[in-house]
């Protein structure tokens, strides 16, 4: 159910409706829009007697949301959500594309700093690096854990980059939330409902990757778990799905970008690194992702990919990342978007205030 407030409804009227909903035993989600505030109701298994809310002052109408996902839907919020970060100009979902770049895994301080310096210079605002890695084999490199989080915190101070890293489970979620600016929930965890709920209790942006066989509806429902707990800062990420095609690691499903944008107000970005698994495919699919309207890119970059401890084959070199940024800057202009200019060395430190 959705309570649509009148355009001139006061804060107090919105508050009173929220209190009424909570008193009835449900959860109220006030979602301010450009024209009016909408209040999403969750926690109800069926329809609520709308008469109780219809008559309250400031209420325009009470409508049923027929789709299974509610809070992520454009029915509830017409304007696109812009996910922003206090003290930084980095955003997802606005005119600026959110560019996340860095190695698959943090392997050492030297490696992380070498890559961070280059991606910051190239104009990325977000640095990624795995500290806890979801590996297919239990014998493969599992990540450096908290030590990697500390290295990334230093990188934020040194280069002014916002930090994005994956939480694998409850324990790592708490630690990642302490250090990172944005919490990644990986493809393998897209339907780990208890983890999604816990991420929903945090007040830090969540980067939610599409499961490797998830439908659009399952993807949106996963995001709904996070929003239903009160965390509305979610960025979706297409990273390829499994198909019969074997010329790439996964099949990058770019058509999900306009499909998400039609149904949901949440930003949707694209990861051509995991989406293709092949270094030489990352640049062409990045161009295509920006052209089709993606709100950002996630790119794996490594200064010595042949010796990377994970995902070397899909990691591009810093020089290739420079080229990628130059090209998507031009494509972004065509679709009325913008990518930050390259940064002179001196301008980088302390960009995060
Ligand atoms: C990653 O970003 O390094 C990663 C493991 O991604 P995904 O969950 O999409 O496989
Ligand atoms: Mn990876």
């Amino acid at each position: 159910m959705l309570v649509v407030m009148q355009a001139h409804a006061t804060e107090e009227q919105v508050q009173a409706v929220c209190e009424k909903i909570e008193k009835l035993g449900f959860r109220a989600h006030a979602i301010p829009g450009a024209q009016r505030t909408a209040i999403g109701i969750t926690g109800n298994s069926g329809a609520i007697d709308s008469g109780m809310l219809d008559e309250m002052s400031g209420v325009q109408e009470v409508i049923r949301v027929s789709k299974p996902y509610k809070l992520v839907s454009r029915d509830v919020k017409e304007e696109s959500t812009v996910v922003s970060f206090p003290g930084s100009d980095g955003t997802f979902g606005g005119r600026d594309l959110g560019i996340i770049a860095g190695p698959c895994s943090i392997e050492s301080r030297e490696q992380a700093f070498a890559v961070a310096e280059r991606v910051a210079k190239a104009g990325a605002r977000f640095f990624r690096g795995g500290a806890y890695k979801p590996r297919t084999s239990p014998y493969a490199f599992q990540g450096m854990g908290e030590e990697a989080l500390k290295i990334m915190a230093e990188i934020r101070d040194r280069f002014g980059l916002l930090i994005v890293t994956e939480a694998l489970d409850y324990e790592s979620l708490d630690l990642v939330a302490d250090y990172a600016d944005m919490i990644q929930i990986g493809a393998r965890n897209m339907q780990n409902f208890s983890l999604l709920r816990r991420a929903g209790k945090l007040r830090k942006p969540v980067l939610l990757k599409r499961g490797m066989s998830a439908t659009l509806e399952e993807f949106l429902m996963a995001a709904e778990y996070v929003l239903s707990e009160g965390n509305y800062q979610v960025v979706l990420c297409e990273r390829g799905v499994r198909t019969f095609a074997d010329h790439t690691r996964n099949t990058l499903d770019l058509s999900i970008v306009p499909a998400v944008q039609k149904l949901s107000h949440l930003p949707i970005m694209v990861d051509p690194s995991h989406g293709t698994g092949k270094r030489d495919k990352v640049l062409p699919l990045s161009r295509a992702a920006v052209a089709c309207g993606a709100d950002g890119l996630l790119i794996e970059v490594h200064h010595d990919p042949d010796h990377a401890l994970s995902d070397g084959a899909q990691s591009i070199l810093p020089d290739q990342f420079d080229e990628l940024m130059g090209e998507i800057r031009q494509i972004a202009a065509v679709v009325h978007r913008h990518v930050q200019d390259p940064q002179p060395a001196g301008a980088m430190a302390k960009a995060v205030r």
Side-chain angles (χ1 to χ4, degrees), residues 1-5 14-31 37-56 59 61-73 75-77 221 224 227-230 232:
M1 303 276 288
L2 180 66
V3 180
V4 181
M5 301 299 290
V14 172
Q15 190 59 33
V17 173
C18 290
E19 279 166 16
K20 176 84 180 175
I21 293 165
E22 305 264 339
K23 241 200 208 135
L24 291 167
F26 309 118
R27 185 155 186 167
H29 304 263
I31 302 161
T37 294
I39 304 168
I41 306 175
T42 59
N44 54 312
S45 46
I48 297 165
D49 177 9
S50 63
M52 285 187 281
L53 300 165
D54 259 340
E55 303 304 318
M56 293 185 72
V59 172
E61 58 176 335
V62 181
I63 50 180
R64 270 193 70 113
V65 181
S66 54
K67 299 199 179 75
Y69 39 87
K70 317 280 180 199
L71 301 173
V72 305
S73 163
D75 295 349
V76 169
K77 181 169 180 276
M221 292 305 284
E224 185 81 17
L227 272 72
S228 72
E229 294 292 339
Y232 308 115

Side-chain angles (χ1 to χ4, degrees), residues 103-105 128 133 209 249 274 300 310-311 314:
C104 179
S105 301
R128 62 149 288 145
K133 295 305 301 177
K209 298 189 90 176
R249 180 180 178 183
H274 296 86
E300 285 189 344
S310 61
D311 287 349
Q314 68 196 32

Side-chain angles (χ1 to χ4, degrees), residues 74-125:
R74 275 214 195 264
D75 295 349
V76 169
K77 181 169 180 276
E78 217 175 302
E79 307 85 43
S80 297
T81 287
V82 179
V83 172
S84 54
F85 299 80
S88 158
D89 293 331
T91 54
F92 295 91
R95 193 171 87 94
D96 265 15
L97 299 186
I99 308 296
I100 305 175
C104 179
S105 301
I106 299 297
E107 301 167 2
S108 68
R109 196 171 177 279
E110 293 65 39
Q111 171 246 18
F113 270 69
V115 179
E117 179 170 18
R118 292 295 305 271
V119 302
K121 270 191 187 156
R125 291 194 201 267

Side-chain angles (χ1 to χ4, degrees), residues 138-206:
Y139 309 120
F141 177 62
Q142 304 286 308
M144 287 170 64
E146 191 170 2
E147 205 182 328
L149 298 176
K150 288 185 176 157
I151 292 170
M152 285 188 279
E154 271 188 69
I155 283 176
R156 174 178 37 230
D157 289 345
R158 172 76 183 80
F159 300 108
L161 291 159
L162 292 160
I163 302 302
V164 184
T165 192
E166 177 167 356
L168 266 190
D169 44 34
Y170 267 37
E171 294 100 277
S172 52
L173 181 61
D174 290 346
L175 271 170
V176 164
D178 282 347
Y179 288 94
D181 299 292
M182 187 179 207
I183 299 154
Q184 177 172 324
I185 303 225
R188 291 155 192 82
N189 268 322
M190 190 206 81
Q191 286 190 316
N192 182 340
F193 301 119
S194 58
L195 188 64
L196 294 172
R197 277 198 194 284
R198 187 135 162 157
K201 293 197 167 67
L202 301 172
R203 292 295 171 265
K204 280 219 167 152
V206 170

Side-chain angles (χ1 to χ4, degrees), residues 190-260:
M190 190 206 81
Q191 286 190 316
N192 182 340
F193 301 119
S194 58
L195 188 64
L196 294 172
R197 277 198 194 284
R198 187 135 162 157
K201 293 197 167 67
L202 301 172
R203 292 295 171 265
K204 280 219 167 152
V206 170
L207 173 65
L208 178 63
K209 298 189 90 176
R210 181 183 183 186
M212 44 190 105
S213 66
T215 62
L216 170 56
E217 186 168 305
E218 288 163 346
F219 193 16
L220 293 178
M221 292 305 284
E224 185 81 17
Y225 265 90
V226 181
L227 272 72
S228 72
E229 294 292 339
N231 186 353
Y232 308 115
Q233 304 275 89
V234 174
V235 177
L236 302 168
C237 181
E238 159 61 24
R239 46 78 72 205
V241 288
R242 189 163 284 186
T243 66
F244 53 79
D246 60 2
H247 62 285
T248 49
R249 180 180 178 183
N250 292 292
T251 297
L252 193 66
D253 177 18
L254 290 181
S255 68
I256 203 164
V257 171
V260 164

Side-chain angles (χ1 to χ4, degrees), residues 266-288:
L266 294 177
I268 166 89
M269 63 182 301
V270 170
D271 167 2
S273 302
H274 296 86
T276 65
K278 306 232 163 129
R279 190 174 308 149
D280 65 337
K281 312 277 186 299
V282 173
L283 176 60
L285 272 300
S286 297
R287 295 185 197 118

